[in-house]
Amino acid sequence: MNRVSKFRVAFLLLALSVAGLVVVVREHRPSFLRPDLHSMAYVTTAGGLVAVVDLVKNSTIARVSVGPDASDLRAHPSLKEIWGVSPAGGYVWVLDASNNQVKTKISIGGSPYSIEFSRNAKLAYITSTTGNSLLAIDCTTKQVVARASTGSQPVAARVTPDGKSVLVVNHRDSTLTIHDSRTLMLQAAVPVISAPDDVAILPDGAIAFVMSRSNNKLSVVDLKRGVPLANLELAGNPSQMILKPDGGELYVLSPESHGLQAINTWTHEVGDYVVLGSAPTRAALLGDTGTLFVSDAVAGTVAQLDIVNRRLSSDGPVPAGQSPGALCFDPGEKPRLLLVLSEASGYLSVVRISSDRATALLTMIPVGESPREIVTKMF
């Protein structure tokens, strides 16, 4: 790249940053009225680092070493803490959001893979893939208070809406195990599709849907009786499930089939199919608007789908960097920004989504090599 081209790229990034800062200042005006209020994003990157992004200053303000292979990431609902796991290190780490320092590392005696908080946020549930176990950690004392055996290679834990049970997806033996949320005692083991990866639970806690990223089928499970109901045929291998807030529909993304399928959760039937782009991979639903934002890893864009009318926005897709992946909304009560990780270029793309203005890319913030997961927190 010659000197003139480099100057043009640098100038473009500077212009985007200035324009983005102006808009972010407007969208997050309460943050300036209250100096003690912070709007932050936390991003896992290569090398076991977490990038801390100030969404008001529009910049990465810290890079914190949390250990090898940082993967799953969760913001604690009430404490000023960000929780994550280090499978290679064999521990759960807790980042103090007030000073961007690692507060503690909790050894679990295996390879932690996923995190889920209890409904009252007093416990953190951790799956250990090598230990074939589910653990409960007291969020105050940071001590392991319960442990139970699961199926083989548990990869995800999800709490039921009533908070009474924890569902564990066991990848190797293709089961969904149901555990008591207080004692972790095993209540049932339900056979599901091969190599399952994730589970979605209806708001009434009666039915669960289990997907596999290597299988074009979706298992339907009756949680009350602990039995499988059906295996639904999909157009392609899914990458993510998104449940409509009222639980009436489940949306299943499939990069290889270039679109999304809608599942009727009451009749357990596969419904409408919508073509979205080249490789729709990750999505986030803005519930009050009915708009589903979908990142396309091949096209480098984010599409907007009206889930009610099954229509893509007439404005067209929004550029979001190279290989956009994980995405989420800003932590405000009424989100006005969409945050998208550009995995190939190492940027966090900030997209305006406010209803009174056109959706547009505001700025791109460098966060580090190969960003994978993102959470936000306001405190």
Side-chain angles (χ1 to χ4, degrees):
M1 184 181 292
N2 59 40
R3 184 175 299 178
V4 174
S5 297
K6 289 182 178 179
F7 174 78
R8 287 175 177 171
V9 171
F11 180 79
L12 178 60
L13 285 175
L14 178 61
L16 276 171
S17 296
V18 172
L21 180 58
V22 171
V23 174
V24 169
V25 167
R26 290 174 179 171
E27 304 292 2
H28 288 274
R29 194 166 296 158
S31 299
F32 285 87
L33 297 177
R34 288 181 50 191
D36 61 332
L37 187 64
H38 307 278
S39 180
M40 313 295 287
Y42 302 84
V43 179
T44 57
T45 63
L49 299 176
V50 170
V52 182
V53 180
D54 188 317
L55 296 176
V56 176
K57 294 181 180 178
N58 226 28
S59 64
T60 298
I61 61 171
R63 288 184 173 85
V64 185
S65 177
V66 295
D69 192 26
S71 54
D72 202 18
L73 197 64
R74 293 287 188 275
H76 193 278
S78 55
L79 302 175
K80 296 179 182 179
E81 294 176 347
I82 307 298
W83 288 55
V85 296
S86 174
Y91 57 80
V92 176
W93 50 266
V94 181
L95 176 68
D96 188 334
S98 63
N99 59 18
N100 296 324
Q101 299 293 320
V102 174
K103 178 181 290 187
T104 187
K105 294 180 179 179
I106 308 163
S107 178
I108 68 161
S111 299
Y113 195 84
S114 70
I115 302 173
E116 174 84 337
F117 292 111
S118 61
R119 292 301 174 194
N120 60 11
K122 291 183 179 180
L123 296 174
Y125 300 108
I126 312 295
T127 57
S128 172
T129 57
T130 56
N132 295 332
S133 58
L134 172 68
L135 298 88
I137 297 175
D138 186 299
C139 292
T140 301
T141 66
K142 308 297 189 289
Q143 299 295 314
V144 176
V145 295
R147 185 189 299 259
S149 296
T150 61
S152 181
Q153 196 179 1
V155 293
R158 300 288 181 263
V159 178
T160 54
D162 62 7
K164 295 180 179 180
S165 300
V166 182
L167 309 186
V168 177
V169 179
N170 302 289
H171 187 81
R172 184 170 292 134
D173 67 5
S174 304
T175 60
L176 179 73
T177 50
I178 305 173
H179 302 257
D180 180 271
S181 63
R182 185 177 59 86
T183 65
L184 303 190
M185 182 180 295
L186 179 64
Q187 297 175 325
V190 185
V192 293
I193 53 172
S194 62
D197 293 301
D198 203 0
V199 59
I201 311 167
L202 294 189
D204 63 3
I207 301 293
F209 295 84
V210 182
M211 71 163 231
S212 167
R213 295 186 178 89
S214 56
N215 194 321
N216 67 338
K217 292 183 180 180
L218 197 69
S219 285
V220 186
V221 176
D222 184 326
L223 297 178
K224 301 299 183 183
R225 295 185 296 155
V227 296
L229 294 178
N231 285 334
L232 308 179
E233 193 83 21
L234 302 174
N237 293 350
S239 60
Q240 186 183 353
M241 298 181 292
I242 305 97
L243 187 64
K244 192 177 178 182
D246 65 7
E249 288 186 320
L250 180 73
Y251 308 107
V252 184
L253 285 179
S254 175
E256 68 178 20
S257 68
H258 314 294
L260 167 149
Q261 284 183 287
I263 310 296
N264 186 313
T265 59
W266 309 119
T267 63
H268 310 154
E269 296 177 338
V270 178
D272 296 333
Y273 173 82
V274 182
V275 175
L276 296 176
S278 299
T281 306
R282 300 287 290 269
L285 177 62
L286 194 58
D288 61 342
T289 67
T291 302
L292 187 70
F293 294 89
V294 185
S295 60
D296 190 318
V298 172
T301 58
V302 171
Q304 305 168 71
L305 175 68
D306 179 339
I307 60 172
V308 176
N309 299 306
R310 308 286 200 257
R311 293 177 182 173
L312 289 169
S313 172
S314 59
D315 295 335
V318 179
Q322 299 177 42
S323 300
L327 65 171
C328 68
F329 303 107
D330 74 78
E333 186 175 330
K334 292 185 177 181
R336 292 177 174 269
L337 301 174
L338 178 70
L339 312 174
V340 189
L341 294 184
S342 176
E343 296 180 1
S345 56
Y347 282 86
L348 172 63
S349 299
V350 181
V351 178
R352 180 178 59 215
I353 57 171
S354 54
S355 59
D356 57 338
R357 301 178 188 180
T359 301
L361 175 65
L362 298 179
T363 189
M364 298 178 70
I365 305 170
V367 290
E369 183 182 355
S370 302
R372 294 170 58 185
E373 298 297 334
I374 179 172
V375 296
T376 60
K377 190 170 184 63
M378 183 172 285
F379 60 93

